[in-house]
Amino acid sequence: MTGRSSVKDIITESFIELLKEKSIDDISIYELADYAKVGRVSFYRNFSDKDDILRYYIDTETSKWLEGSEFNYLTAESMQTYVIFLLTHLYQYRDVIDLMMRDSRMYLIEAEFDKRFRATLADVSDPWHIAFTIGGFYKLFCYWAETGYEKTPQEIAEYVK
């Protein structure tokens, strides 16, 4: 995220840096504002709480990724191709994902999966298929992260044949 200049991005970048040093519950808004060199009012003008920072981060990074590619779940030639595409992207964020696992914040990533897959599949699938798809991809990703990313995305794709 380096190179951005909005207050929202400065707070987010600072928060991620602080998460590398301590758990989310041990970071105060005062400490975060001080670290980011912004006022507490600036924090509350941009975010409602610390989870909101992570939601913003996840949403921003996911949007950049999706906007940079015309490829998605519906355009993938196969499920395996999409698994590789998705996991390769997520692997780039493993440091932040590991911090979120450590601090029991994976539900924020699950919410992003839910939002993005529902938006992609809303016009072409029934709700049961959407729920199954979201759950399958999310749990596959979580298991991969929990096991320390031991297998490559290509190896994992072999399991979804």
Side-chain angles (χ1 to χ4, degrees):
M1 288 185 47
T2 304
R4 296 182 185 175
S5 59
S6 79
V7 171
K8 207 166 188 171
D9 292 325
I10 291 167
I11 292 169
T12 301
E13 207 171 288
S14 298
F15 186 59
I16 298 297
E17 288 304 312
L18 285 171
L19 280 176
K20 293 174 184 176
E21 299 171 16
K22 54 175 73 175
S23 78
I24 193 170
D25 295 330
D26 293 334
I27 300 170
S28 70
I29 301 305
Y30 176 81
E31 176 184 18
L32 173 57
D34 184 56
Y35 190 89
K37 297 183 181 8
V38 301
R40 285 182 50 201
V41 171
S42 292
F43 172 84
Y44 287 110
R45 193 175 290 139
N46 289 282
F47 299 105
S48 58
D49 57 26
K50 293 177 277 186
D51 279 0
D52 203 24
I53 302 169
L54 291 172
R55 279 186 205 92
Y56 172 75
Y57 176 80
I58 294 164
D59 179 70
T60 301
E61 296 304 313
T62 303
S63 292
K64 285 188 330 189
W65 172 59
L66 292 174
E67 289 165 8
S69 174
E70 293 183 20
F71 187 78
N72 66 41
Y73 177 72
L74 294 174
T75 61
E77 63 189 49
S78 69
M79 184 78 69
Q80 293 81 15
T81 304
Y82 187 73
V83 166
I84 293 166
F85 175 69
L86 177 65
L87 296 182
T88 299
H89 165 70
L90 292 168
Y91 188 73
Q92 296 172 44
Y93 296 90
R94 67 190 173 279
D95 294 342
V96 175
I97 291 164
D98 290 345
L99 297 171
M100 292 177 70
M101 270 193 307
R102 177 198 70 196
D103 292 344
S104 302
R105 292 304 193 277
M106 291 298 285
Y107 61 88
L108 298 170
I109 293 175
E110 182 179 19
E112 187 72 12
F113 268 69
D114 204 43
K115 177 177 80 174
R116 300 299 178 144
F117 274 101
R118 285 185 192 284
T120 300
L121 298 173
D123 295 336
V124 296
S125 286
D126 66 68
W128 293 98
H129 177 247
I130 294 170
F132 178 79
T133 302
I134 294 166
F137 280 117
Y138 175 71
K139 293 303 273 184
L140 184 73
F141 159 67
C142 285
Y143 187 71
W144 183 50
E146 290 165 5
T147 58
Y149 314 95
E150 290 175 353
K151 297 193 178 294
T152 66
Q154 293 78 7
E155 291 171 322
I156 294 167
E158 290 297 313
Y159 291 109
V160 297
K161 278 189 175 178

